[in-house]
Amino acid sequence: MSTQITRDGNREQLQELLRDLFQFDAADLDFGVYRILNQRRDRIEQFIEDDLLDAVDESLKSLADAKRAEIEEELEEKATELRQDWDDDIFNPDGSLKDQYANLGQKDLEEYQDLWETREDVAVAEETEARIFNDLYRFFSCYYEDGDFHTKRRISSKDSKYYVPYNGEETYFHWANNDQYYVKTGEHFTDYRFDADEWTVEFRLEEADVPQDNIKGDSRYFVLGRGDPVSTNSDAQTVTIRFQYRQITEDEADDYVEAYNGATGDDRSSFAHMTPEMRCDALEGRILGYVEDADAERILTTEKDAATSTVLKSHLNRYVSENSMDYFVHKDLQEFLEGELEFFLQNEVLDVDELIKADDGSSPPVLRARTVRKIAERIISFLAQIEDFQKRLFEKKKFVVQTDYMVTLDQVPDDLYTEILENDEQLEQWRDVYNTDQWDADLKWQGEFDQTFLNNHPYVMIDTALFDDEFKLKLLSYFDNIEEATDGVLVNSENFQALNLLLEKYRNEVDCTYIDPPYNTGGRDFLYKDNYQHSSWLSMMADRMSLAKAFLSDDGTFFTSVDERELANLKRLMDDSFGSTQTGPTITWRRKKESANDSQGFSIKGEYVLSAFGSNETSIHTLPLSDEYLGSSYRDPTDEFPEGQWRPVPIATSSGHQSGGYTYEVTSPDGRTIEREWLYPEERFKELRDEGRIYWGKSGDAIPQRVMYASESEGVPPDNIWYDLATNKEGKKQILNYFGDSVYDTPKPPALINRILEISEGSDSYSNVVLDFFAGSGTTAQTVIDRNRDSGGRKYVLVEMAEYFDSVLRPRVQKAVFSDEWSEGLPENRNGQTQVIKYSRLESYEDAINNISLEEPATAQQKLVDEDIDDYVLSYMLDFESRGSAPLLPEGTFDEPFSHELEIEQNGTSREPTTVDLVETFHYLIGADVRQYWHETHQDRKYVVTECEVDTESGIETVLTAWRRTEDIDYEEEKGWFDDEFDTESYDRVYVNGESQIAQSEPLEITFREKMEESPNVA
């Protein structure tokens, strides 16, 4: 094969890889980073087709120029030597030898003439150029895989072992993606729904039936679900398609090929070379084979995307891509790739043997390395720009897109009752949540919602989401201190984003964190990248744990459930995150009582709880003495010791001598003298004897012991084996009691969380804050509510992203507030408690990236861009052209603060315009405890004003925030009205959106923008 063919082949191979790196195979995808890249496909194509190759040519030319300069320097040296031996007359004006000298046959003259002729013909060999393209391909293909970059540094091309970055620690915990964010967090990736011509089509991911034999590789693929996987309801106009995502067998791979050939008319024989698009063709063919309804088939096969696809295939492509690609965003891709490039150049390009043989610094290996570095750095800059932009959107504090309250009626003013009773949506929610139509007379149900019902049921909760903003603001304005009145906070969000936003408010404020993260079983509960199951899970946990640590108070405790699959990894991760001196022992608790062949012949009855502490001074608290413990460790009262259950406690030192105790003689009841070393001074011993608190054994002649009564005990230290608690079966029973149905599969029993709270709380538990950022069905909230019935005013903060935030978690909390006992979905009593619960929804990472739109530079800016087009395209294009996007607070946002909208994704595909709650977002950004809301009108515009307290480095500041539309304001009139209304001089700080003359005011948008893009500092 000729060098020319090899060079062209390597060049094309590199270009194809770059198209893969820049997601050119995802041209029909309209979500995520693909949407953004597709807006600039022409510019990226220009970079791949022209700019990059021009840069290679330019670099090779510059290398040739450098080589030519070296030759000229050598020519000058030889010319000087020749002048000394001959004379100046031997040279032509252009520096070549005159003919009569060039043909003399003298060695020194021939060497000079050969060097002079070489100077004009200098060029880098085509072989070197071919190897440069191959080097670039090898470097980038080594680290890139399905939309993500991974650390895969081999020690050398001659060794298959990988290098792990290591700084000389005694032990080092490493996983493949520890320098990346796990971002595959959208709940809709597993269940997906779209509308087409008045039909609704839903993709559902069911638990996989993992084949045990004849598996075809480790990768997972989409296959249709068990039984009849496609169901059609013509009356409801719905199509439901069930999938499994798993490894496949050889037979299933053959079925894929057969289905593809049947759908396309192709004659393919190998599954191994089928692209994702081909597999979607196969799935489409299989699905349509199950569809018998003509209308359903029509809507699924309608052409889309300029007749290049169908409705069904377009959505299949998106669904498959969302589940199988883009699991990570690198925290510093440029630094990572540049470091790997240096390693690659030293070990793969600069061959030591070749360098030893080379006679100068312009040898082919050195020239090749210089060019590879220069071109690779350009590609790295472009890739890093894309990755850093995604990182920016992932780290950005997310907007609050809904804030509402659930409030018990005893805290709602009577003058709002009429409006409540006229709200049909609220009354319908009460029927659904409390099942009022099934109540008996004991619950004081008269068959209708009226004033009497409201008076008789003070712990029924209203939901402000069912009312307009005026009602909500009116309700909030009745509270003198809404922060103090709020018992619970529920956040519907992916938990990293929630923790990132909530941190400023709850930093060092949480007394106990309990989480029950998804177990890494390989099922649908946790999505992971093929071949990265454990490292995907660890990356997900590491960043969330790092943020959660900052929430803990110095006396705070952190607990997490885990099973045996990730126990060892999570234990090591917690040691690294908290420090080994701040992690506790592994707790084993019995999750079930029944025996079963769960794993390799074993019945797995236990799960684990790992613990960590906010500081080295944090201590676990004792448990109350249980009846079982009293029965086994204490004795019943006797005539000698009648004051209650008691037990003997040694008062002699364990060794009996020289232990730092007190040595003296004591006399037993039978007159014997005993000399030993004792724990107490002699005076204290005499006091105990006189009080009748010394026990001499049954016969009265044993070594004396002190009598301790059960009433004096401070409790018993908790064991690290918990076999006495309710099991997961009890957790499921609780769900059945609340809902009358199994609406959530894996709830923990409240008894487990209650035990954790017991050992975490000190004497002052009335102000404890409990955090759970994998909230699931809301067991933690129920447990805190139940504990507060007996004592305390504990507060809870729960985060959950899934759809059961609304279908399970919130209703469960409402039920727990209303009654402490439920059965088959009905309350057994009205033993409730007063409660105010704030709940919010946040913008997601997917929402942020889907709302980005790029705008070409304006005419005035284009000239500046053109002057430095290279740096602009490689480094600044995305940040500059996205400035007008809604997630990044474009100019004018704060002029209309109640009208800023995002397209928020609903049910997987549809995006609905949703107004951002800038007021509540700002409260979280500055860490405000909101005491009071005011809703005022001035100059024909709405004002929302809040009074807050903010904990700063210099102490607690009182802060006033004011929001209004800024257009056509008479600022002087506003100043007079506002300063009188709110006494602005009494506050430490006054934030106002936009321009203002209000006393002490400062523009809040500066702080808003700074806080919104502060790095979370997650290592």
Side-chain angles (χ1 to χ4, degrees):
M1 182 180 293
S2 71
T3 301
Q4 175 70 34
I5 294 175
T6 302
R7 184 190 63 178
D8 291 345
N10 288 344
R11 176 181 291 205
E12 291 171 5
Q13 185 183 42
L14 173 63
Q15 288 177 319
E16 285 306 308
L17 174 64
L18 292 177
R19 288 188 177 89
D20 194 15
L21 294 177
F22 294 116
Q23 314 291 352
F24 262 54
D25 61 342
D28 60 336
L29 298 183
D30 67 340
F31 65 92
V33 71
Y34 311 109
R35 262 188 81 258
I36 299 171
L37 295 181
N38 286 336
Q39 294 179 59
R40 292 295 176 265
R41 290 179 65 82
D42 55 344
R43 193 166 286 169
I44 296 172
E45 180 68 25
Q46 179 183 336
F47 175 75
I48 294 172
E49 282 290 335
D50 301 323
D51 297 351
L52 189 60
L53 298 183
D54 289 346
V56 173
D57 293 338
E58 180 185 334
S59 181
L60 294 176
K61 181 178 181 300
S62 67
L63 291 175
D65 290 342
K67 179 67 175 177
R68 188 177 295 109
E70 291 177 7
I71 292 174
E72 288 177 345
E73 185 177 346
E74 188 175 351
L75 278 172
E76 186 61 37
E77 292 176 358
K78 287 187 176 296
T80 301
E81 293 174 0
L82 290 176
R83 289 188 184 98
Q84 292 174 354
D85 296 336
W86 303 81
D87 57 50
D88 287 339
D89 194 41
I90 67 172
F91 297 107
N92 289 316
D94 63 359
S96 62
L97 290 175
K98 292 180 178 180
D99 291 342
Q100 62 267 36
Y101 293 100
N103 300 317
L104 284 178
Q106 293 290 329
K107 182 179 180 181
D108 55 349
L109 294 174
E110 288 179 346
E111 288 178 350
Y112 177 87
Q113 186 63 18
D114 289 344
L115 194 61
W116 186 89
E117 291 172 356
T118 301
R119 180 188 63 174
E120 295 304 315
D121 298 327
V122 165
V124 176
E126 288 183 350
E127 179 187 1
T128 300
E129 184 177 353
R131 294 181 71 178
I132 286 169
F133 285 116
N134 187 49
D135 290 336
L136 290 167
Y137 174 83
R138 287 192 302 122
F139 173 71
F140 287 103
S141 63
C142 179
Y143 298 101
Y144 177 78
E145 180 183 335
D146 294 336
D148 298 308
F149 288 91
H150 302 289
T151 304
K152 284 187 172 182
R153 177 192 290 185
R154 292 194 187 277
I155 294 175
S156 76
S157 59
K158 303 171 185 176
D159 195 328
S160 61
K161 297 182 180 68
Y162 288 107
Y163 166 88
V164 173
Y166 169 64
N167 293 321
E169 302 93 332
E170 181 184 4
T171 58
Y172 178 66
F173 186 44
H174 173 79
W175 63 95
N177 311 103
N178 67 347
D179 52 359
Q180 298 166 56
Y181 286 117
Y182 173 87
V183 300
K184 185 64 77 180
T185 53
E187 159 67 10
H188 59 263
F189 292 141
T190 52
D191 290 335
Y192 178 100
R193 188 181 302 113
F194 65 92
D195 295 323
D197 195 17
E198 298 184 356
W199 281 68
T200 298
V201 182
E202 184 173 11
F203 299 162
R204 290 185 183 172
L205 194 65
E206 65 184 24
E207 285 296 335
D209 298 322
V210 181
Q212 300 300 313
D213 301 309
N214 202 21
I215 297 297
K216 187 175 180 65
D218 294 327
S219 296
R220 295 170 300 160
Y221 303 93
F222 281 90
V223 296
L224 292 180
R226 63 181 73 89
D228 187 351
V230 182
S231 58
T232 303
N233 186 324
S234 302
D235 294 332
Q237 292 187 300
T238 62
V239 178
T240 302
I241 306 167
R242 290 182 291 103
F243 296 92
Q244 294 184 13
Y245 185 46
R246 57 172 172 79
Q247 297 163 303
I248 62 174
T249 65
E250 294 282 357
D251 289 342
E252 287 172 326
D254 292 341
D255 288 343
Y256 245 120
V257 175
E258 181 184 341
Y260 171 74
N261 290 338
T264 63
D266 203 345
D267 189 24
R268 182 167 293 274
S269 60
S270 172
F271 175 82
H273 297 99
M274 287 182 69
T275 65
E277 184 176 2
M278 291 175 180
R279 293 196 292 271
C280 284
D281 283 328
L283 282 173
E284 181 184 31
R286 281 283 188 252
I287 291 166
L288 293 175
Y290 285 97
V291 177
E292 297 179 352
D293 185 280
D295 281 343
E297 183 176 7
R298 175 184 56 79
I299 66 105
L300 292 175
T301 56
T302 299
E303 291 181 342
K304 187 178 179 182
D305 301 328
T308 61
S309 183
T310 64
V311 168
L312 176 58
K313 185 182 174 185
S314 175
H315 286 284
L316 277 174
N317 190 24
R318 176 177 179 177
Y319 181 62
V320 169
S321 298
E322 285 186 326
N323 276 282
S324 57
M325 297 177 65
D326 295 331
Y327 277 76
F328 306 99
V329 167
H330 216 288
K331 295 175 182 176
D332 194 339
L333 182 63
Q334 182 144 0
E335 181 181 53
F336 163 69
L337 286 179
E338 287 179 349
E340 297 300 302
L341 177 62
E342 292 303 306
F343 189 90
F344 176 81
L345 292 174
Q346 294 169 24
N347 289 273
E348 302 289 326
V349 179
L350 291 173
D351 186 277
V352 175
D353 293 334
E354 290 187 29
L355 286 177
I356 292 173
K357 293 176 184 176
D359 59 355
D360 58 39
S362 60
S363 65
V366 174
L367 298 179
R368 173 180 156 208
R370 287 176 182 169
T371 305
V372 170
R373 172 189 278 168
K374 182 174 181 180
I375 304 307
E377 286 177 346
R378 289 171 62 87
I379 299 173
I380 288 170
S381 292
F382 207 162
L383 291 171
Q385 178 189 183
I386 297 168
E387 196 82 357
D388 287 348
F389 189 69
Q390 293 178 81
K391 173 192 168 189
R392 177 189 177 192
L393 294 178
F394 185 75
E395 290 186 340
K396 178 190 86 77
K397 308 291 193 304
K398 299 303 181 289
F399 292 121
V400 178
V401 296
Q402 180 188 353
T403 305
D404 277 292
Y405 289 80
M406 299 188 296
V407 183
T408 49
L409 286 171
D410 64 328
Q411 300 212 52
V412 177
D414 293 353
D415 58 4
L416 295 178
Y417 278 14
T418 299
E419 193 170 347
I420 292 171
L421 292 171
E422 292 174 351
N423 188 315
D424 291 338
E425 285 186 87
Q426 179 63 83
L427 305 186
E428 186 61 31
Q429 186 189 80
W430 287 347
R431 290 188 183 93
D432 290 341
V433 171
Y434 303 114
N435 208 359
T436 53
D437 291 343
Q438 303 298 317
W439 282 8
D440 58 27
D442 291 342
L443 293 171
K444 295 190 176 181
W445 172 239
Q446 307 301 319
E448 62 178 339
F449 296 110
D450 54 17
Q451 184 77 32
T452 301
F453 175 87
L454 302 187
N455 294 336
N456 287 337
H457 299 89
Y459 304 127
V460 162
M461 304 192 84
I462 66 159
D463 184 349
T464 63
L466 307 177
F467 298 82
D468 59 24
D469 282 347
E470 185 174 350
F471 176 93
K472 178 171 67 176
L473 288 168
K474 192 186 302 182
L475 173 63
L476 294 178
S477 67
Y478 280 102
F479 290 92
D480 293 331
N481 191 331
I482 187 63
E483 177 72 28
E484 189 176 287
T486 300
D487 301 280
V489 174
L490 311 177
V491 182
N492 186 204
S493 166
E494 188 280 311
N495 48 24
F496 179 91
Q497 304 302 338
L499 293 173
N500 196 24
L501 180 65
L502 300 180
L503 178 56
E504 204 61 36
K505 175 175 174 58
Y506 291 103
R507 187 186 299 274
N508 302 127
E509 293 291 326
V510 170
D511 300 283
C512 178
T513 296
Y514 168 75
I515 59 172
D516 182 19
Y519 291 176
N520 199 4
T521 63
R524 58 165 283 159
D525 288 340
F526 177 72
L527 294 173
Y528 63 88
K529 190 180 182 75
D530 278 341
N531 304 314
Y532 295 93
Q533 180 175 354
H534 297 288
S535 58
S536 296
W537 193 86
L538 281 167
S539 287
M540 182 273 293
M541 289 296 295
D543 293 331
R544 286 148 187 79
M545 195 174 296
S546 179
L547 282 173
K549 180 183 177 184
F551 280 68
L552 283 184
S553 66
D554 289 343
D555 294 327
T557 54
F558 180 96
F559 294 88
T560 176
S561 287
V562 67
D563 71 355
E564 68 278 357
R565 293 176 186 85
E566 296 292 354
L567 174 63
N569 284 334
L570 185 57
K571 175 65 174 172
R572 187 60 196 270
L573 179 62
M574 290 181 66
D575 285 344
D576 281 3
S577 297
F578 288 89
S580 57
T581 61
Q582 287 178 226
T583 55
T586 300
I587 299 166
T588 303
W589 74 281
R590 186 175 59 178
R591 69 182 180 94
K592 69 174 187 177
K593 296 178 181 179
E594 303 80 9
S595 295
N597 186 351
D598 295 315
S599 177
Q600 296 178 312
F602 285 91
S603 180
I604 308 299
K605 293 187 176 182
E607 283 187 7
Y608 307 95
V609 176
L610 299 181
S611 58
F613 311 111
S615 70
N616 289 325
E617 285 71 42
T618 305
S619 61
I620 289 296
H621 299 277
T622 58
L623 292 170
L625 303 181
S626 66
D627 291 341
E628 181 182 358
Y629 185 82
L630 286 170
S632 62
S633 301
Y634 281 78
R635 307 180 185 186
D636 291 332
T638 63
D639 291 341
E640 187 178 5
F641 307 115
E643 296 180 25
Q645 289 179 292
W646 62 279
R647 66 185 180 95
V649 178
I651 56 175
T653 60
S654 58
S655 63
H657 62 281
Q658 297 180 349
S659 298
Y662 305 89
T663 303
Y664 50 87
E665 291 182 351
V666 299
T667 303
S668 67
D670 63 359
R672 285 188 311 112
T673 299
I674 303 172
E675 182 177 1
R676 289 181 66 94
E677 189 174 71
W678 311 95
L679 294 173
Y680 303 127
E682 188 171 7
E683 293 77 11
R684 177 57 180 155
F685 179 87
K686 291 177 179 178
E687 289 175 2
L688 291 170
R689 185 187 59 195
D690 294 344
E691 294 171 0
R693 300 287 294 275
I694 297 295
Y695 176 63
W696 293 92
K698 290 183 179 180
S699 302
D701 56 359
I703 299 296
Q705 294 178 285
R706 178 173 69 91
V707 171
M708 173 180 280
Y709 289 103
S711 58
E712 300 174 308
S713 173
E714 295 181 355
V716 60
D719 295 332
N720 71 330
I721 299 177
W722 295 352
Y723 59 87
D724 57 329
L725 298 179
T727 63
N728 279 339
K729 189 174 183 179
E730 179 62 29
K732 292 183 178 181
K733 183 179 177 182
Q734 286 270 338
I735 293 293
L736 284 171
N737 287 338
Y738 273 120
F739 293 93
D741 194 7
S742 182
V743 296
Y744 187 81
D745 294 333
T746 57
K748 287 293 188 289
L752 173 65
I753 302 173
N754 191 65
R755 170 66 56 83
I756 287 169
L757 295 180
E758 273 188 305
I759 65 177
S760 299
E761 293 179 347
S763 56
D764 179 16
S765 64
Y766 290 87
S767 59
N768 278 6
V769 177
V770 179
L771 170 67
D772 181 352
F773 53 89
F774 286 97
S777 66
T779 305
T780 298
Q782 180 202 325
T783 305
V784 173
I785 290 168
D786 288 343
R787 285 183 68 79
N788 281 343
R789 296 183 200 279
D790 300 326
S791 64
R794 304 165 188 84
K795 296 179 183 290
Y796 50 91
V797 180
L798 270 64
V799 178
E800 177 54 54
M801 75 172 180
E803 290 180 357
Y804 40 75
F805 178 87
D806 289 311
S807 62
V808 180
L809 191 156
R810 288 204 300 120
R812 182 179 187 177
V813 172
Q814 289 172 301
K815 291 169 184 283
V817 167
F818 179 73
S819 172
D820 64 356
E821 190 173 350
W822 289 73
S823 177
E824 298 181 349
L826 289 169
E828 295 287 288
N829 57 49
R830 295 181 298 120
N831 184 21
Q833 59 180 288
T834 188
Q835 196 93 169
V836 175
I837 300 169
K838 179 169 76 172
Y839 70 94
S840 304
R841 302 183 202 278
L842 306 187
E843 165 199 20
S844 69
Y845 167 62
E846 291 79 16
D847 291 327
I849 206 166
N850 285 335
N851 277 271
I852 294 296
S853 58
L854 303 183
E855 298 177 1
E856 294 281 359
T859 305
Q861 299 165 330
Q862 188 64 53
K863 182 179 179 182
L864 296 174
V865 169
D866 291 341
E867 290 175 356
D868 196 10
I869 188 66
D870 207 37
D871 279 350
Y872 173 76
V873 171
L874 292 181
S875 304
Y876 311 118
M877 179 178 69
L878 291 181
D879 279 335
F880 186 80
E881 296 185 11
S882 64
R883 292 181 306 166
S885 300
L888 302 177
L889 294 172
E891 186 176 350
T893 297
F894 294 95
D895 295 336
E896 296 277 353
F898 308 121
S899 303
H900 186 54
E901 287 187 344
L902 292 178
E903 297 280 333
I904 299 298
E905 194 145 346
Q906 309 287 335
N907 299 323
T909 55
S910 62
R911 298 171 190 151
E912 301 295 335
T914 305
T915 302
V916 171
D917 190 341
L918 292 177
V919 178
E920 192 63 25
T921 304
F922 187 65
H923 289 154
Y924 280 122
L925 290 176
I926 63 175
D929 291 341
V930 183
R931 288 163 46 177
Q932 201 158 8
Y933 281 85
W934 291 281
H935 179 206
E936 303 289 345
T937 301
H938 179 68
Q939 295 188 39
D940 295 325
R941 70 195 67 221
K942 176 175 75 174
Y943 280 72
V944 174
V945 182
T946 67
E947 179 181 282
C948 316
E949 289 185 347
V950 177
D951 192 354
T952 69
E953 292 182 358
S954 57
I956 302 294
E957 288 187 351
T958 56
V959 173
L960 198 69
T961 77
W963 301 79
R964 78 285 197 243
R965 180 170 51 84
T966 61
E967 184 180 9
D968 298 330
I969 286 185
D970 183 328
Y971 292 109
E972 191 165 334
E973 180 185 337
E974 177 189 59
K975 170 179 166 51
W977 166 77
F978 195 93
D979 291 348
D980 289 343
E981 191 78 16
F982 296 102
D983 188 18
T984 52
E985 298 287 352
S986 65
Y987 293 93
D988 297 311
R989 194 180 297 272
V990 178
Y991 287 113
V992 182
N993 68 296
E995 185 179 344
S996 172
Q997 296 180 12
I998 294 170
Q1000 293 204 95
S1001 66
E1002 54 186 276
L1004 59 79
E1005 47 265 43
I1006 296 174
T1007 300
F1008 200 118
R1009 294 181 189 277
E1010 289 176 351
K1011 294 285 188 181
M1012 188 179 75
E1013 298 212 34
E1014 276 183 352
S1015 171
N1017 294 318
V1018 176

